[in-house]
């Protein structure tokens, strides 16, 4: 599900204005904090992309009993407080599945190699716990459990995009609020279809996403014939 969206519209040149924060780590941290307001004290694990992942944010979340696992990028992430030696690629060649670890308290910085170096920051998984990445051609590639968990949760986003991104309402608005409105409506319809697939009704009549959307529109318009066309 797409559970929550956050729109930051404060304009101007102030400390929290878009002019000052646009494309900066502070804006991404602000969005993450807003989205996780109701997660405190529930021991949730938050998975983050490179633009959000940072040591300062993860430590702040940990104080609220929110734990994190994020992909780190030396170019896109706020790397303040992280050891430079872990942000540079080692000179000696590495084989697939090898990794290095540095720890600070409960926080682990993992550098894992798989046709390139991938770095992960986490306080949700022990670095000594082993996992595996399964590739069709390469078979099983060993990795820390944090890497396996991140890859699994990232696949949920990919699956959502593959299945439902083409059903977002195409509209070129004149106002920003119109764009936000149609974006929110599209997410709501996609979520409704996911709930429908989880219900008993789906086992009776298996509507496709297109058929479900067509029937929904007809019912909202009050049309008598609500059966989907084939």
């Amino acid at each position: 599900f797409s559970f929550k969206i956050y729109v930051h519209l404060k304009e101007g040149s102030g400390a929290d204005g878009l002019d000052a924060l646009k494309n900066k780590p502070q804006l991404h941290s602000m969005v993450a904090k807003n989205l996780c307001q109701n997660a405190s004290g529930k021991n949730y694990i938050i998975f983050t992309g490179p633009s959000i992942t940072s040591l300062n944010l993860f430590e702040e979340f940990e104080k609220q009993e929110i734990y994190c696992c994020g992909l780190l990028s030396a170019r896109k992430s706020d790397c303040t407080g992280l050891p430079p030696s872990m942000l540079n690629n080692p000179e000696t060649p590495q084989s697939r599945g090898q990794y290095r670890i540095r720890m600070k308290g409960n926080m682990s910085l993992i550098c894992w190699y798989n046709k390139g170096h991938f770095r992960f920051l986490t306080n949700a998984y022990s670095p000594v716990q082993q996992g595996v990445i399964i590739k069709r051609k390469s078979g099983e590639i060993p990795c820390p459990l944090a890497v396996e968990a991140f890859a699994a949760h990232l696949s949920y986003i990919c699956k959502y995009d593959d299945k439902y991104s083409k059903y977002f309402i195409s509209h070129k608005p004149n106002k920003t609020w119109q764009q936000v409105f149609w974006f929110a409506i599209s997410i709501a319809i996609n979520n409704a279809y996911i709930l429908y697939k989880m219900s008993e009704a789906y086992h009776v009549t298996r509507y496709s996403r297109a058929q479900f959307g067509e029937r929904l529109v007809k019912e909202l318009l009050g049309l008598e014939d609500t059966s989907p066309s084939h």
Side-chain angles (χ1 to χ4, degrees):
F1 300 97
S2 290
F3 178 68
K4 188 177 181 181
I5 62 175
Y6 171 69
V7 182
H8 184 76
L9 296 177
K10 189 167 185 178
E11 299 180 354
S13 56
D16 58 348
L18 286 180
D19 293 341
L21 295 177
K22 189 175 182 181
N23 297 325
K24 292 186 177 181
Q26 295 95 319
L27 177 59
H28 301 295
S29 295
M30 183 186 300
V31 173
K33 292 174 185 176
N34 184 280
L35 291 174
C36 297
Q37 279 183 347
N38 298 325
S40 298
K42 298 180 180 178
N43 293 318
Y44 286 162
I45 299 176
I46 307 300
F47 293 87
T48 62
S51 60
I52 295 177
T53 302
S54 75
L55 178 62
N56 292 333
L57 179 64
F58 282 15
E59 288 180 336
E60 186 174 339
F61 274 158
E62 187 174 10
K63 294 176 183 177
Q64 304 173 38
E65 297 182 24
I66 302 173
Y67 301 94
C68 306
C69 181
L71 181 63
L72 192 71
S73 167
R75 184 171 58 89
K76 296 181 180 180
S77 305
D78 178 6
C79 298
T80 303
L82 298 176
S85 61
M86 291 292 287
L87 302 177
N88 299 321
N89 296 336
E91 296 180 0
T92 56
Q94 290 186 293
S95 58
R96 298 180 70 177
Q98 284 189 320
Y99 57 90
R100 298 179 294 146
I101 298 172
R102 288 286 296 274
M103 295 187 66
K104 177 185 176 183
N106 294 327
M107 200 72 63
S108 301
L109 175 56
I110 302 168
C111 181
W112 176 68
Y113 184 80
N114 179 25
K115 291 186 177 180
H117 292 89
F118 296 89
R119 294 169 177 84
F120 299 85
L121 188 66
T122 183
N123 56 1
Y125 298 93
S126 168
V128 299
Q129 287 185 286
Q130 295 295 308
V132 65
I133 299 293
I134 300 176
K135 299 289 185 179
R136 292 181 180 177
K137 295 182 179 180
S138 306
E140 295 185 352
I141 304 173
C143 65
L145 183 60
V147 178
E148 178 185 337
F150 183 88
H153 285 80
L154 183 67
S155 69
Y156 300 149
I157 301 173
C158 297
K159 289 177 181 178
Y160 186 94
D161 286 343
D162 291 342
K163 290 185 177 181
Y164 304 116
S165 60
K166 62 183 176 181
Y167 295 108
F168 275 69
I169 299 172
S170 179
H171 178 64
K172 294 183 178 180
N174 296 322
K175 302 292 184 179
T176 302
W177 71 264
Q178 295 173 340
Q179 183 178 1
V180 174
F181 173 79
W182 289 114
F183 177 72
I185 290 294
S186 299
I187 289 178
I189 296 175
N190 286 339
N191 283 347
Y193 181 67
I194 295 172
L195 288 172
Y196 159 71
K197 290 186 69 175
M198 296 171 62
S199 70
E200 295 295 331
Y202 181 72
H203 299 288
V204 178
T205 308
R206 292 176 176 253
Y207 291 132
S208 67
R209 172 60 182 83
Q211 292 172 330
F212 179 85
E214 182 179 350
R215 176 164 187 140
L216 178 63
V217 170
K218 288 184 176 180
E219 289 187 355
L220 290 174
L221 294 176
L223 301 178
E224 293 183 2
D225 181 13
T226 59
S227 59
S229 59
H230 297 281

